Amino acid sequence: MDIHKWKAIIEGLLFAAGDEGLSIKQISLVLELHADTVEDILTEMKKEYDQEDRGIRIIEIAGAYQLATKKEHAPYFKKLMENPSNNTLSQAALETLAIVAYKQPITRAEIEDIRGVKTDRPIQTLVGKLLIKEVGRVEGTGRAILYGTTKEFLDYFGLKSIEELPKLPEQTSDEFVQEEADLFFEKFAEAFEDLT
């Protein structure tokens, strides 16, 4: 396979990995390439991304490579986030936010276990809207990011502290849980829309 195809695959892998990033070892295992070869390709890609006409770059944090936006474009990202049309949250983002609010600190994997689906995009949205943030790392292998709510979350929902969240019901029949979840997310969405 030629180097352009390897670069395209690595780019896709980094995009899919999101803010978790990938180590050279992880990429080399997936591509079945020697680690030195992967490192050379990443070095070349970093140089290409550093060109003025590119909107993203490749960064390395704690041995993990990830895609990131360029700092000089920050004023445009700020305008995007302040745009009123971007103030609504999807159902997936609302569900993720509710899980983080009640179970914090919590990892992405734990959120996915609860929701039963991937949560990369909702987490990115919530971090971008400053409703959740990284509050630490899990000890041990992988050091997964722990997420928690922010001061902005409390401000949006008019809470003095996280303890003011409504208590979850203790009854746990599947039908009851589904009805309560639907009602909760409906109220959560209405509250968010009223505040934006």
Side-chain angles (χ1 to χ4, degrees):
M1 193 177 306
D2 86 1
I3 192 154
H4 297 295
K5 289 185 180 175
W6 287 125
K7 287 179 182 178
I9 294 167
I10 291 172
E11 181 179 56
L13 291 172
L14 293 176
F15 178 80
D19 62 358
E20 295 291 318
L22 294 172
S23 68
I24 288 176
K25 182 179 179 182
Q26 289 172 305
I27 297 170
S28 64
L29 285 172
V30 170
L31 300 181
E32 298 177 355
L33 289 175
H34 193 275
D36 290 340
T37 304
V38 171
E39 189 170 10
D40 290 343
I41 294 171
L42 278 167
T43 300
E44 193 173 318
M45 289 176 72
K46 283 176 78 172
K47 287 178 186 171
E48 291 171 5
Y49 278 98
D50 285 340
Q51 300 300 314
E52 197 172 299
D53 63 341
R54 301 298 299 261
I56 56 175
R57 60 194 175 114
I58 296 176
I59 59 172
E60 180 188 359
I61 298 176
Y65 290 83
Q66 58 184 292
L67 295 175
T69 56
K70 291 189 172 178
K71 291 178 183 174
E72 58 266 31
H73 299 158
Y76 301 101
F77 305 132
K78 185 177 179 188
K79 282 169 106 176
L80 176 67
M81 298 313 292
E82 292 170 351
N83 185 340
S85 66
N86 291 323
N87 282 335
T88 58
L89 291 176
S90 67
Q91 182 71 21
L94 286 170
E95 290 174 6
T96 302
L97 182 58
I99 291 166
V100 172
Y102 280 96
K103 299 285 188 178
Q104 63 186 306
I106 188 168
T107 66
R108 180 180 50 82
E110 291 169 329
I111 296 167
E112 290 173 355
D113 283 345
I114 294 169
R115 289 194 65 233
V117 294
K118 287 279 196 193
T119 59
D120 294 335
R121 182 77 50 163
I123 286 175
Q124 288 176 350
T125 299
L126 295 171
V127 168
K129 292 184 180 292
L130 305 177
L131 294 172
I132 65 171
K133 66 179 180 178
E134 180 180 330
V135 295
R137 296 263 181 172
V138 174
E139 293 298 323
T141 309
R143 308 248 321 129
I145 295 171
L146 288 167
Y147 292 98
T149 54
T150 63
K151 181 185 179 303
E152 288 81 2
F153 169 84
L154 296 174
D155 289 345
Y156 272 157
F157 292 99
L159 303 171
K160 291 179 187 167
S161 74
I162 208 68
E163 285 75 30
E164 289 187 351
L165 280 172
K167 299 292 178 225
L168 292 173
E170 296 196 17
Q171 187 177 352
T172 57
S173 76
D174 288 345
E175 186 177 314
F176 178 80
V177 168
Q178 186 59 49
E179 287 175 17
E180 286 295 311
D182 291 344
L183 182 61
F184 175 79
F185 291 127
E186 185 178 301
K187 287 182 179 179
F188 208 73
E190 288 172 7
F192 187 77
E193 286 173 12
D194 290 345
L195 293 165
T196 56

